Amino acid sequence: MSLIVREPDDCSFRIGNGSLGSTKLVRMYTKGADSIILKRIAAGQSAEAKRIEEMADAFAAEGLRTLVMGYRDLEEDYFLEWLDRLATVNTTLLGSEREDAILSLEDELEQELLLLGCTGIEDKLQENVPETLIRLRLAGIKLWVLTGDKQGTAINIALSCGILDESYEVSIINETAEDDVSAQIEKTIGTWRARFLLHQEAEMIQSNENSTTDANDFARIEGRSKFALVIDGYTLTFALSEPIRNRLMVLSRMASSVILCRVSPKQKREVVEMVREYESSKITLAIGDGSNDVGMIQAAHVGIGVRGKEGVEAVLASDFAISRFYYLQRLLLVHGRWNLKRLVKLVLGAMYAATIIVFGDFYFGFFNKFSAFPLQDPLLYGLCSILLTPAPLLILGFWDVDFKAEYCLDFPELYRKTQSRRLMRYRRYLWWIFCAVWQEAVVFFSVYLGFGAIEFTSVSSDGKGQQISSFALVVLMLTLLVIHAHLALYIGAWNWFTALIWILSTTLFFWVALAFSSPLIASTLSPSYILAAHDTWSLAQSWFLFLVVPVLCILPTLSLRYLRRNYSPGLAQLIAEFTGKQLSRNALGLPKIEAPEHKKLPVFSKNEKSVKPTELFVYDDHGGSKTGTVRSQFQPDYSKIRKKQLKRHGSDGDLAGTATAITFAGDTPQASNEKHRRNKSDGYALLGNNRTLDELMAMDI
């Protein structure tokens, strides 16, 4: 980001050896990533660039967010000519052509920079972020981290949040040419496939009772099944190109976590669009809190904006807005799951209710010669459809809860069923339709057997029914009872409120039918129904059918649910048993959902064929060393902790400590006897002897 200002006349502060004096200068101030700014500096600043680079690496190793600042003095004539070209582009071009032209003009201006310094700012995580990410992973959600931070900062944060741990094999791809990027992606795909096959072979060996091989050790040494991918923004430029992006998606499918660092807002949007293109059956969700996340949020299926100190641009562009990141777990695992199950039950229930009512007229067609003469009175049928049938559907669609919120958070694995789309399979639709068809057959022919001699057989030669009001009332009453009984099997939130609605809706038709068949109303609306309900409700066989037929209709469904729950239970059935016995996740011996406490680093791969673990050395006050210690929180004790850096191409690894610091580039930086070591490719961790952060902070700047 750049800012162009005209300095005031009385400005005389000093930067480096230069002085602004009393001349009104046009000056451009720029801040950005070190990998971008250091490529745009003017000649003769190699010493300053090296020093700034060391500072940026040290800050990134401490988990800080780094930026390099620079400036450029612009000549008046050149600046005015540049402004004219910018105005011409804004007024004559449209769409992508204008955007490309503006980017070209900005790139032209942001050259020949003079270095100002480097900042390292501690960006503290919000509360409960690690627990939220762990729950999302247990729920089967794949995590992609798209950040503008340095690679070392991104890896540090990933380790602190639980996105990475010691069980991962992390492949870091940093390349500067398209052919190299393609080669490294192909190599990583082959390596991971080999690791996965070795892991499977180890499990097979372990299952062989006659084998004496320690399969756990074999899998731990020779193969891993959890992989993570780390790519920087410059490499991502080539990876998103058409010849390579297909292989990148193949590699990302194999990875449990993907971390993209130093990415621009445009690249964030392109990554989301790429995932949507190649994973058309998946649902993408993007969450961000700044204006640089707007494109990503708009490109995803679901966009969530976090309202914070970086403005409201992300919130305005999102579908949902939250004020804390950890609210995401309730939004997805609780309300998201509840609403999906409610929607599915509502759709299935509405389809079931419509089908079962319609098939009553279908069966009646066999007896009225398919003359289209309706079984039910249209007014009474419409009244029941509006007032009585929707009541159990409203319970399913608005208030149904199968698990309480605390159990949805305690067992995030429940969310996985929503991702597999098992709730929306065609088999479920066909089952509900089948239930409606055969249940209405039971209703209709049960009434036919019980009331067959009561005026139903009185059908004229032209197919019109005569005085079948009593038969129709019993069929309609039984249909409503069966609908309520069947839907009651799928209601999970039984309380006094839902039970009251269900009972009122079930019994209301008795009174509605009596009112409708009263002489005052029936004589005007439907004369054939005069006192029909009074006569029908007084018959013993009517009440016998009201008690027996609904039980017969729901008995097969109830039996299948019982057998499945007791002899072939799924995850939801097991957790339902746990909740019924008030058992928590900890009581069952399952891993706790809490912030990770790392004991050692994950494995970082390098260009060579071997894969060696990387150790982190933390020094005490007496110069002794300890290995295998990784910080999990950004709260170090600077007086006791010293470090050695894990040097990589353009980044640092996970190291102890954080700070907030700023340094300015001077003319005579302190010379370094150490050569800044860089590895070309994917994450080879070098234990360098570079200066510590305290030493760099103590330098005379």
Side-chain angles (χ1 to χ4, degrees):
M1 184 181 75
S2 298
L3 175 67
I4 300 176
V5 298
R6 189 181 294 275
E7 302 289 358
D9 292 333
D10 57 351
C11 181
S12 59
F13 64 89
R14 178 184 178 87
I15 299 179
N17 286 335
S19 177
L20 298 178
S22 60
T23 304
K24 296 178 67 174
L25 294 177
V26 178
R27 173 165 289 178
M28 178 189 65
Y29 293 96
T30 302
K31 68 173 183 178
D34 58 333
S35 58
I36 302 298
I37 299 298
L38 295 179
K39 295 178 181 179
R40 300 169 178 261
I41 62 176
Q45 299 185 90
S46 58
E48 289 86 348
K50 181 178 179 180
R51 183 183 178 192
I52 292 296
E53 195 172 29
E54 288 183 355
M55 289 297 300
D57 290 340
F59 291 157
E62 300 293 347
L64 306 182
R65 307 189 70 171
T66 62
L67 286 175
V68 174
M69 301 175 293
Y71 72 97
R72 177 186 178 185
D73 292 330
L74 305 175
E75 297 181 0
E76 185 76 17
D77 295 339
Y78 171 75
F79 176 64
L80 294 177
E81 186 267 338
W82 184 86
L83 280 181
D84 291 338
R85 286 189 289 157
L86 180 62
T88 302
V89 168
N90 284 325
T91 55
T92 59
L93 300 179
L94 296 174
S96 60
E97 293 184 359
R98 182 170 64 178
E99 293 180 0
D100 295 339
I102 292 176
L103 289 176
S104 178
L105 289 174
E106 292 175 349
D107 184 71
E108 174 189 337
L109 199 66
E110 295 173 345
Q111 302 292 337
E112 301 296 325
L113 299 176
L114 300 177
L115 290 174
L116 275 175
C118 174
T119 60
I121 302 175
E122 181 183 10
D123 191 3
K124 291 185 177 180
L125 295 175
Q126 294 182 3
E127 62 274 19
N128 298 326
V129 171
E131 292 83 354
T132 300
L133 295 177
I134 292 173
R135 283 190 172 94
L136 295 181
R137 173 171 292 166
L138 291 175
I141 299 175
K142 188 171 184 177
L143 302 176
W144 290 57
V145 180
L146 281 65
T147 177
D149 294 331
K150 281 179 68 68
Q151 194 163 273
T153 305
I155 293 176
N156 273 298
I157 295 176
L159 285 164
S160 298
C161 294
I163 298 176
L164 298 179
D165 55 41
E166 59 269 16
S167 65
Y168 275 82
E169 178 177 328
V170 183
S171 179
I172 305 179
I173 302 179
N174 295 333
E175 298 293 346
T176 58
E178 183 175 337
D179 293 339
D180 295 336
V181 173
S182 178
Q184 286 300 316
I185 291 178
E186 292 288 350
K187 173 187 173 183
T188 307
I189 291 174
T191 302
W192 284 3
R193 283 177 176 170
R195 298 280 191 274
F196 184 74
L197 292 175
L198 288 171
H199 182 80
Q200 286 185 325
E201 184 177 351
E203 292 180 346
M204 294 177 62
I205 295 175
Q206 186 182 24
S207 62
N208 188 353
E209 297 180 357
N210 298 326
S211 175
T212 59
T213 306
D214 189 348
N216 290 328
D217 292 340
F218 182 76
R220 183 173 62 252
I221 298 173
E222 300 295 339
R224 290 168 177 257
S225 60
K226 296 174 64 176
F227 307 103
L229 178 64
V230 179
I231 301 179
D232 68 338
Y234 191 77
T235 304
L236 188 62
T237 304
F238 301 106
L240 291 176
S241 61
E242 192 61 35
I244 306 178
R245 60 189 302 169
N246 185 28
R247 308 305 296 168
L248 176 63
M249 279 305 304
V250 173
L251 184 61
S252 64
R253 291 190 189 103
M254 302 170 64
S256 300
S257 300
V258 180
I259 301 174
L260 307 179
C261 48
R262 283 303 190 208
V263 294
S264 64
K266 181 180 179 181
Q267 287 178 322
K268 291 181 179 180
R269 185 186 72 249
E270 291 176 346
V271 168
V272 176
E273 292 174 347
M274 178 188 66
V275 174
R276 292 191 60 173
E277 177 185 354
Y278 288 93
E279 299 285 355
S280 57
S281 61
K282 307 296 183 182
I283 303 297
T284 58
L285 182 147
I287 180 171
D289 62 348
S291 58
N292 57 342
D293 300 320
V294 170
M296 173 182 65
I297 290 174
Q298 292 178 336
H301 291 94
V302 181
I304 299 178
V306 181
R307 188 180 182 91
K309 297 182 179 180
E310 296 193 26
V312 296
E313 289 84 358
V315 171
L316 295 177
S318 63
D319 301 306
F320 300 92
I322 56 179
S323 59
R324 290 290 185 272
F325 182 83
Y326 73 90
Y327 291 167
L328 180 64
Q329 59 185 349
R330 290 189 65 89
L331 181 63
L332 293 180
L333 306 182
V334 180
H335 299 289
R337 182 179 174 277
W338 282 353
N339 289 333
L340 177 61
K341 292 185 71 67
R342 290 168 182 170
L343 180 61
V344 171
K345 290 181 179 180
L346 179 62
V347 172
L348 294 175
M351 180 188 62
Y352 163 81
T355 304
I356 194 173
I357 292 177
V358 168
F359 265 81
D361 284 321
F362 173 75
Y363 296 130
F364 182 61
F366 290 99
F367 299 91
N368 69 1
K369 302 179 181 180
F370 290 96
S371 62
F373 181 80
L375 174 64
Q376 308 293 343
D377 181 84
L379 293 177
L380 185 61
Y381 172 79
L383 185 65
C384 293
S385 299
I386 295 174
L387 295 180
L388 305 180
T389 304
L393 297 178
L394 290 177
I395 297 176
L396 290 173
F398 286 93
W399 300 293
D400 184 62
V401 174
D402 56 347
F403 293 101
K404 295 181 179 180
E406 54 266 26
Y407 283 102
C408 291
L409 295 176
D410 205 20
F411 297 96
E413 294 86 355
L414 287 169
Y415 189 80
R416 297 194 177 196
K417 189 175 181 180
T418 64
Q419 292 178 307
S420 62
R421 301 192 178 185
R422 294 175 59 187
L423 298 176
M424 302 292 290
R425 288 179 177 176
Y426 289 110
R427 185 173 60 186
R428 291 178 62 88
Y429 283 98
L430 296 177
W431 169 252
W432 281 68
I433 292 176
F434 173 74
C435 289
V437 171
W438 79 266
Q439 286 175 0
E440 184 62 18
V442 173
V443 169
F444 185 89
F445 291 104
S446 297
V447 179
Y448 175 72
L449 294 177
F451 289 84
I454 302 179
E455 299 177 353
F456 177 73
T457 58
S458 178
V459 180
S460 61
S461 59
D462 59 357
K464 295 182 179 179
Q466 299 175 350
Q467 301 297 325
I468 58 171
S469 305
S470 297
F471 182 89
L473 284 175
V474 176
V475 170
L476 184 57
M477 184 64 206
L478 285 175
T479 301
L480 293 175
L481 290 176
V482 171
I483 290 175
H484 283 73
H486 183 82
L487 295 180
L489 299 177
Y490 296 91
I491 296 177
W494 283 109
N495 50 52
W496 69 267
F497 179 71
T498 56
L500 179 62
I501 293 177
W502 188 86
I503 293 173
L504 290 177
S505 176
T506 304
T507 59
L508 186 60
F509 182 72
F510 289 100
W511 311 105
V512 171
L514 290 173
F516 185 82
S517 64
S518 64
L520 181 63
I521 298 177
S523 61
T524 303
L525 299 179
S526 183
S528 63
Y529 275 80
I530 295 177
L531 298 178
H534 300 74
D535 297 336
T536 305
W537 296 168
S538 62
L539 297 175
Q541 59 263 43
S542 297
W543 292 98
F544 177 78
L545 292 175
F546 294 159
L547 295 175
V548 174
V549 172
V551 176
L552 293 177
C553 290
I554 66 171
L555 187 60
T557 303
L558 187 63
S559 301
L560 289 176
R561 290 170 63 89
Y562 173 81
L563 292 175
R564 181 180 179 184
R565 187 184 187 93
N566 290 275
Y567 297 99
S568 181
L571 179 63
Q573 287 77 22
L574 292 175
I575 295 179
E577 292 293 330
F578 300 154
T579 57
K581 297 179 180 179
Q582 303 296 322
L583 296 177
S584 64
R585 188 181 188 90
N586 297 337
L588 297 173
L590 298 175
K592 296 181 179 180
I593 301 177
E594 59 185 7
E597 296 181 0
H598 299 292
K599 298 181 179 180
K600 60 181 180 179
L601 284 168
V603 171
F604 292 92
S605 61
K606 62 177 184 177
N607 276 335
E608 287 76 10
K609 297 181 180 179
S610 60
V611 178
K612 299 179 181 179
T614 303
E615 291 182 332
L616 175 69
F617 293 86
V618 181
Y619 286 85
D620 55 25
D621 291 336
H622 304 288
S625 64
K626 302 177 181 179
T627 62
T629 303
V630 180
R631 63 172 179 79
S632 61
Q633 300 292 335
F634 292 150
Q635 297 178 353
D637 186 352
Y638 296 110
S639 63
K640 296 183 179 181
I641 297 179
R642 297 295 183 268
K643 62 174 176 49
K644 281 189 176 182
Q645 299 178 30
L646 298 175
K647 305 303 295 180
R648 294 189 188 89
H649 176 69
S651 66
D652 297 278
D654 180 75
L655 300 170
T658 57
T660 301
I662 182 170
T663 179
F664 289 94
D667 293 331
T668 57
Q670 181 173 339
S672 173
N673 295 326
E674 308 293 339
K675 183 178 180 180
H676 186 67
R677 301 178 66 183
R678 295 276 175 175
N679 187 61
K680 182 176 180 180
S681 187
D682 55 1
Y684 179 38
L686 299 175
L687 294 175
N689 295 318
N690 301 66
R691 301 184 184 90
T692 65
L693 179 61
D694 294 327
E695 292 173 350
L696 290 171
M697 293 294 293
M699 293 172 60
D700 184 13
I701 58 174

